[in-house]
Amino acid sequence: MSAPIVVDNVAALRAQIRNWRRDGLKVALVPTMGALHDGHISLVKIALEEAERCVVSIFVNPTQFAPTEDLDKYPRQLARDLDRLREAGAHLAYTPGVADMYPAGFATKISVGGPSAGLETDFRPTFFDGVATVVAKLFLQAAPDCAVFGEKDYQQLCVVRQLCRDLDLPVEIIGAPTVRDSHGLAMSSRNAYLSEAERGVARKLNVVLRQTAAELASGADEASAVGEAAEALVRAGFRKVDYVAAREAVTLAPWRQDRDGRLLAAAWLGTTRLIDNVEIPGA
Amino acid sequence: MSAPIVVDNVAALRAQIRNWRRDGLKVALVPTMGALHDGHISLVKIALEEAERCVVSIFVNPTQFAPTEDLDKYPRQLARDLDRLREAGAHLAYTPGVADMYPAGFATKISVGGPSAGLETDFRPTFFDGVATVVAKLFLQAAPDCAVFGEKDYQQLCVVRQLCRDLDLPVEIIGAPTVRDSHGLAMSSRNAYLSEAERGVARKLNVVLRQTAAELASGADEASAVGEAAEALVRAGFRKVDYVAAREAVTLAPWRQDRDGRLLAAAWLGTTRLIDNVEIPGA
C-alpha cells in the first residue's frame, strides 16, 4: 500500500477531497484521536468497503477532556499511526493542530440532548459538547459522504447520529462492531495505561456484561441484575463502578424488555477508566 | 419575472439546488421570517448581484422567541410574500413547517459566544441560540455559496459570521445596509404593529443614534453620550430603553475610539420593541 497523503490544514483537506469528488469518488471519514489500534483499523476497513476514498482524522480534542482528565498523558504516536494507516490502505491522514481547530476567539458550542442524557454525562458533563462540536467541524471541513464510528463508544455513536439528524448534516453514520482481544477485552487507546495484572481484571468487564445482558434478555429483574453486575465488577478487582445501565438501543431512553437494548458500563481500574457495552437482544 | 419555485421540504430543496450546482450556477440564500418588506427585497437584490440563483427561506422560527414574545402574532402573509419575491426575481422560496425543522425528538442547540455577549442577550437570553441553530440548519439544508443578512440586525450578523468561522461552515456571509423610510426609520416587520403616532416617535430612534455616533466620533465622553441618548429617546416618547451602547464593529467588544465602532440600541414603543444601529466612524 502507498503511504497516505498527510495534510494539516483545512484548505489542503478540502482541495484534495474536491478533486476526489470531481472524479466521482465516494469519500468516508474515520475521526480518531490517534494512538491507533486494531479497533481503529477495523473502522478504516469498513470505510474502504463503503467508499472509494478513506480520510482518517487524527486530533486529540482538548474540549472533550475535563481539566482533571488525561489530556496531557493521552498517547500520541503519529509516525506509528501513519504506518498503520499505510498498511490499512487509508488515503489521507488529516492532522490539524489545536490552533487550527480552535483559533483565538473561538466561541461556539454544540449541545446535543436526547441520547447524551445520563451515563457518561453523569461523570463527564461537558464531554459530549466537546465531541459534538469537533465532529460537526470535521464533517464541515471534510464534507464526507459517510463516517464510521465504533460501537465501543456506544453513547457517542448515538449522540453523533442525533447531531446529524438534528442539524441536517448530510453525512451517513456507520456504526462498527467493537474489536476485542481473544479474551473479549474491547480495544482502547487507554488499555496502554494498564499493568499486566490490571489487564487480567479488565477482561472481566466484557464477561460480566455479556452474562448480565443474557439474564436481562431472559426476564431477570433489571435493578437486581445491574446491581449484581456492579458488585461482580468490584469483586473482580475494579476500584469503582461509575455505572452499569440497560438502555433502549437507539434513543438510550430507559430500556423496555420488548425493545432491543444495550447494556453499558464504565468502571475504574486504578487511575484508568474503561467503558464497554453489549447488545441486549429484544424479547 | 416568473414566479419562484416553492418547496416546503429539504429533499426537494436539495434536489433543486443540486441541479443548479451541476449547471455551474452560484447559489445565494436569504434567510427570512417572511412578512417581507423593502429591507428583505434589498437583500434579494444583493443576492442576485452575488449569485446566479437566489433562494429565500421563509420560516418563523419559534426557538428564537421567548415565551413572552410575539411568536403568535408575528405577521404571516405567504401569498403576498411570494408576490414580492416574484417581482424581485428570487428563484426559489423555501417554506418548511415547524415539524420539518424540529421533528419530534429534536434535541440540539448551537451556542455562539463572543459577539452574542450583552446587548440583545441581556434582554433575550436564548435568542441567539435559536438564531444560530436555525441558521446552521438552513445552511446545511441548502448548502448555499453565500448568504445575505441585513445590518439592521447587526448583532445577529456578527453572531452568524462567528458561527461560520467557528464551525467551518463554507458559506460567505454578506452584510447588507439597512433600508430606511424617507424619515430614516429602519424597515422592520414589527413596524406593522405601530400606530401612526408611534411611527412618528419611532423615526426619532435613528435621528438620536446618528447624532450620538457623530458626537462619539468627535471625542465625546462615551458614558455621558449614550446616557443622554437614552434620555433623549424617552423624552421623544419611547416607553423604555433596553440599551444604547457603543461597541467595536466586528467583535462587538467594548468600543475604543481608534477603532471602527457601531452604536446599537433597542427601545420600546408601547408593546413593540424596535432595534437600530449606526456606524461610528473610526478616528
Side-chain angles (χ1 to χ4, degrees), chain B residues 191-211:
Chain B
N191 291 351
Y193 304 151
L194 300 176
S195 68
E196 202 48 48
E198 286 174 330
R199 190 170 292 258
V201 178
R203 286 168 174 154
K204 304 280 174 60
L205 179 52
N206 183 251
V207 175
V208 169
L209 287 182
R210 264 182 220 283
Q211 202 164 15

Side-chain angles (χ1 to χ4, degrees), chain A residues 51-147:
Chain A
E52 284 96 8
R53 289 294 178 269
C54 173
V55 173
V56 177
S57 61
I58 297 179
F59 178 63
V60 182
N61 177 33
T63 70
Q64 68 195 65
F65 289 78
T68 55
E69 289 179 347
D70 57 345
L71 174 62
D72 289 337
K73 73 163 182 165
Y74 198 86
R76 288 165 173 85
Q77 45 188 46
L78 184 59
R80 226 188 109 209
D81 288 346
L82 294 176
D83 280 346
R84 295 224 58 179
L85 292 181
R86 181 180 46 73
E87 291 160 24
H91 299 88
L92 188 148
Y94 174 49
T95 61
V98 172
D100 298 304
M101 293 296 276
Y102 305 115
F106 182 91
T108 295
K109 183 177 76 177
I110 302 181
S111 305
V112 179
S116 72
L119 303 173
E120 288 299 297
T121 300
D122 286 342
F123 300 89
R124 312 178 74 191
T126 63
F127 175 68
F128 286 119
D129 291 351
V131 168
T133 306
V134 81
V135 166
K137 276 182 71 84
L138 290 169
F139 284 4
L140 286 162
Q141 291 176 342
D145 298 286
C146 61

Side-chain angles (χ1 to χ4, degrees), chain A residues 10 14 101 105-114 133 136-137 140-141 162-163 165-170, chain B residues 10 14 101 105-114 133 136-137 140-141 162-163 165-170:
Chain A
V10 66
R14 284 182 169 153
M101 293 296 276
F106 182 91
T108 295
K109 183 177 76 177
I110 302 181
S111 305
V112 179
T133 306
K137 276 182 71 84
L140 286 162
Q141 291 176 342
Q162 176 91 31
L163 169 74
R165 194 169 46 233
D166 283 357
L167 291 188
D168 303 285
L169 274 159
Chain B
V10 67
R14 283 181 170 154
M101 293 296 275
F106 182 91
T108 295
K109 184 177 76 177
I110 302 181
S111 306
V112 178
T133 306
K137 276 182 72 85
L140 286 163
Q141 291 176 343
Q162 176 91 29
L163 168 75
R165 190 168 51 234
D166 283 357
L167 292 187
D168 304 285
L169 273 160

